Amino acid sequence: MNQQEFELFCLYIREVAGIDYFGKNEVTLKTAVKERMRATGVSAAITYLNRIKTDKDEYREFLDLVTTPETYFFRDNEQFEFLKNNLLPQIRDSKLQLPSPPPIRILSCGCSTGEEVYSIAMAVKEAMLIRDYHVDIVGFDINEKNIEKAKMGVYPKYSFRGVSNEVIKRYFEVKGLKHHVLPEIKEMVTFYTLSIFKINSSPFLSRAYDIIFFRNVSIYFEYADVVTIINNLERKIVPGGYLFLGHTESLMNIDTGFAKSPCRGVYKYSPGRPLSDRTHHLTHELSRMSASKLPMVRPGDNPVTRPISFLPTRPLPPGWTIPGKVRQTSSWSAPGNGSSKTTTTAAVANSGRRSPAGSPEECYQKAVELFESKRFAEAESMLKTSLTHCPKDTRFHLVLARIYADSNKLDEAAERCRQIIGIDDLQAAAYFLLGLINLSRNRWDEALANFRRTVYCQPEHFTAQYHLGLTLIEKGDLESGCRELKTTIKMIEAMEQDCLTRVIEDYSGEQVIRLCRDLLDKHHLPRPE
């Protein structure tokens, strides 16, 4: 499976399950694909991808391999002790003050094969609540096979790391090498197959919950999705309710109504300002996270380079021009401001190696000047010579890729982009150019994967976000495309004011907003409020 095919699988899993495999867990995903290709006798990765899109049974088999995280009973036992000894008695006593006390409701999100849900039920049992108070415990997971296993309640020995023999004897029946949950515990819980993104629309979860477990799940999602999920969970939790996270997770940099409790990883909810007012924090944080990796050139910094024109397949409307005095760059950066950490490191590592034409920085600047003068042959010759001395300097590769793209040598440009990604897989500019090449060839899925990867590497890349919407519309998915356009507008409007004049890949923020609004108006869809 090559890099493009891997990204198509990432995109598909992202769309159907919300799980983010871009830049992480690559071995897990590739192993799963190879295993199922071998089991089904399919020889080509793309053929297998098409199969899981149409074969429901194979889709379930594949999803089972990529959505089953590690889990075991009473994981992070400190939290279950806090639940048993503090929260459950406290919530019960509070509810008993009401004329008609409602049950205590507990929700486990992404419950996998059910160990967490049954652990909650056992904690409730240990707290002696079941004798005098009703507790409603619900678990859900997107993986249907996981839910089937959870309902069976049969577990191997390795699901009991650190669990005492006393607990096992009290709540399980051991048959050979398997441990069966006792019926009295199974009767306390309910399981559903559900996506975490649909919790607010599901008829199964129509009530608000006193306690929500969302542990060791957020690591599988990208930042923007985690923000969406946390905001959705706020709509499903009662005021004063508690959210449980894994010990390695936190709500840092997420604007929520949750505050830390005395127990690590447990947060208490207090309603704050409306969730609709929080868009600014999300987009500002995306910008901040990107800025920490990708230094921005501010007005007055006198950047050495300018954004180089891309393919002429999507020209700006007649009469539009790029601001001449404010030419900030991001994925295309001046020497010393690499487009990623790896690029900067490579430039430093190569700084002492001189080609016949001079230092790497001198060669780079000269090549850019030649390119901007459209002296492509001279620039190409200089770049290739420099690459013999600095083969992993992605700046040289990127200029070559743009030379090939502007010369309509799209195959050479695409191959050069893949070489860049092989050196530094966080190069937003390479993914973006590859996306434009695929878009010009009407390769919609490949283009979508490339633009999504661009936004992953550089969350503030509003031009790539715009092209996501444009590609979806041209593919025929009007609803999704317009949703991306609205997201683009909100992203730019929530950023700092200078983003309106800032240029990313020859588009300013102001121009991208106008392009988005024009497309929304064209399709008679409302603009974002």
Side-chain angles (χ1 to χ4, degrees), residues 106-117:
I106 305 175
L107 178 65
S108 171
C109 306
C111 67
S112 189
T113 47
E115 287 91 335
E116 179 177 87
V117 178

Side-chain angles (χ1 to χ4, degrees), residues 364-387:
Y364 173 72
Q365 293 180 35
K366 181 62 177 177
V368 171
E369 292 172 4
L370 291 171
F371 177 88
E372 293 182 338
S373 302
K374 299 192 180 299
R375 294 157 65 182
F376 292 162
E378 294 177 65
E380 181 180 1
S381 176
M382 173 174 284
L383 289 165
K384 286 183 175 180
T385 300
S386 297
L387 283 169

Side-chain angles (χ1 to χ4, degrees), residues 34 49 96 109 125 160 226 256 265-266 286 305 404 411 493:
K34 289 178 181 178
L49 178 60
L96 287 174
C109 306
K125 192 85 168 176
F160 296 88
V226 174
T256 76
V266 180
L286 289 173
T305 63
Y404 293 144
D411 289 335
E493 288 181 337

Side-chain angles (χ1 to χ4, degrees), residues 32-261:
V33 173
K34 289 178 181 178
E35 181 177 327
R36 293 312 305 166
M37 286 175 62
R38 186 164 49 248
T40 55
V42 175
S43 58
I46 292 300
T47 302
Y48 180 71
L49 178 60
N50 291 331
R51 175 164 179 173
I52 60 177
K53 290 180 178 179
T54 56
D55 186 334
K56 183 178 180 180
D57 291 335
E58 184 55 34
Y59 164 79
R60 290 177 59 197
E61 293 290 339
F62 175 68
L63 204 64
D64 181 48
L65 293 177
V66 298
T67 61
T68 304
E70 179 187 45
T71 181
Y72 48 91
F73 286 96
F74 294 101
R75 183 176 183 178
D76 297 336
N77 188 55
E78 175 191 353
Q79 293 185 341
F80 286 100
E81 290 296 317
F82 183 69
L83 173 69
K84 178 180 70 174
N85 298 324
N86 298 84
L87 293 192
L88 290 174
Q90 171 189 319
I91 294 172
R92 177 200 57 192
D93 293 346
S94 175
K95 287 180 178 288
L96 287 174
Q97 304 301 315
L98 302 174
S100 299
I104 297 174
R105 294 188 172 89
I106 305 175
L107 178 65
S108 171
C109 306
C111 67
S112 189
T113 47
E115 287 91 335
E116 179 177 87
V117 178
Y118 288 124
S119 297
I120 295 169
M122 294 172 206
V124 170
K125 192 85 168 176
E126 291 285 312
M128 307 297 287
L129 292 189
I130 199 69
R131 293 182 178 180
D132 58 0
Y133 206 89
H134 178 62
V135 181
D136 181 19
I137 306 170
V138 175
F140 72 86
D141 195 275
I142 192 174
N143 189 320
E144 191 173 344
K145 292 185 69 175
N146 281 352
I147 293 301
E148 290 174 358
K149 293 175 183 177
K151 289 178 178 179
M152 290 176 62
V154 180
Y155 298 94
K157 187 175 181 179
Y158 63 74
S159 293
F160 296 88
R161 279 166 274 181
V163 180
S164 69
N165 289 330
E166 182 181 352
V167 170
I168 294 176
K169 290 178 182 179
R170 189 179 303 160
Y171 298 116
F172 295 87
E173 181 181 1
V174 181
K175 297 180 179 180
L177 299 177
K178 299 292 185 180
H179 297 65
H180 297 247
V181 179
L182 292 181
E184 63 183 275
I185 298 298
K186 293 179 70 174
E187 291 171 359
M188 296 172 62
V189 306
T190 306
F191 292 101
Y192 297 109
T193 302
L194 183 70
S195 167
I196 187 117
F197 294 101
K198 297 182 179 179
I199 60 173
N200 287 317
S201 60
S202 171
F204 306 121
L205 307 180
S206 58
R207 305 275 188 168
Y209 290 85
D210 299 285
I211 298 170
I212 295 179
F213 280 68
F214 180 56
R215 305 193 314 158
N216 308 300
V217 179
S218 66
I219 57 174
Y220 295 96
F221 299 96
E222 61 182 31
Y223 172 79
D225 285 335
V226 174
V227 174
T228 299
I229 292 169
I230 294 298
N231 286 343
N232 286 340
L233 293 180
E234 289 189 65
R235 295 184 174 94
K236 298 302 296 183
I237 199 166
V238 301
Y242 288 84
L243 174 68
F244 283 65
L245 300 181
H247 279 180
T248 61
E249 300 168 310
S250 76
L251 298 178
M252 185 179 297
N253 298 322
I254 300 180
D255 190 13
T256 76
F258 291 104
K260 290 182 178 180
S261 77

Side-chain angles (χ1 to χ4, degrees), residues 335-355:
N337 286 325
S339 60
S340 75
K341 181 178 178 180
T342 306
T343 302
T344 305
T345 303
V348 172
N350 290 324
S351 62
R353 304 174 64 181
R354 300 180 66 88
S355 72

Side-chain angles (χ1 to χ4, degrees), residues 373-432:
S373 302
K374 299 192 180 299
R375 294 157 65 182
F376 292 162
E378 294 177 65
E380 181 180 1
S381 176
M382 173 174 284
L383 289 165
K384 286 183 175 180
T385 300
S386 297
L387 283 169
T388 62
H389 297 271
C390 308
K392 292 189 176 182
D393 195 320
T394 55
R395 298 172 302 171
F396 297 140
H397 287 286
L398 187 54
V399 181
L400 264 181
R402 296 190 175 196
I403 288 173
Y404 293 144
D406 278 25
S407 302
N408 206 32
K409 298 177 181 178
L410 300 187
D411 289 335
E412 291 92 332
E415 179 57 33
R416 188 63 60 169
C417 286
R418 285 189 280 271
Q419 290 182 36
I420 296 169
I421 293 166
I423 298 169
D424 176 7
D425 63 0
L426 294 178
Q427 275 280 358
Y431 288 109
F432 185 73

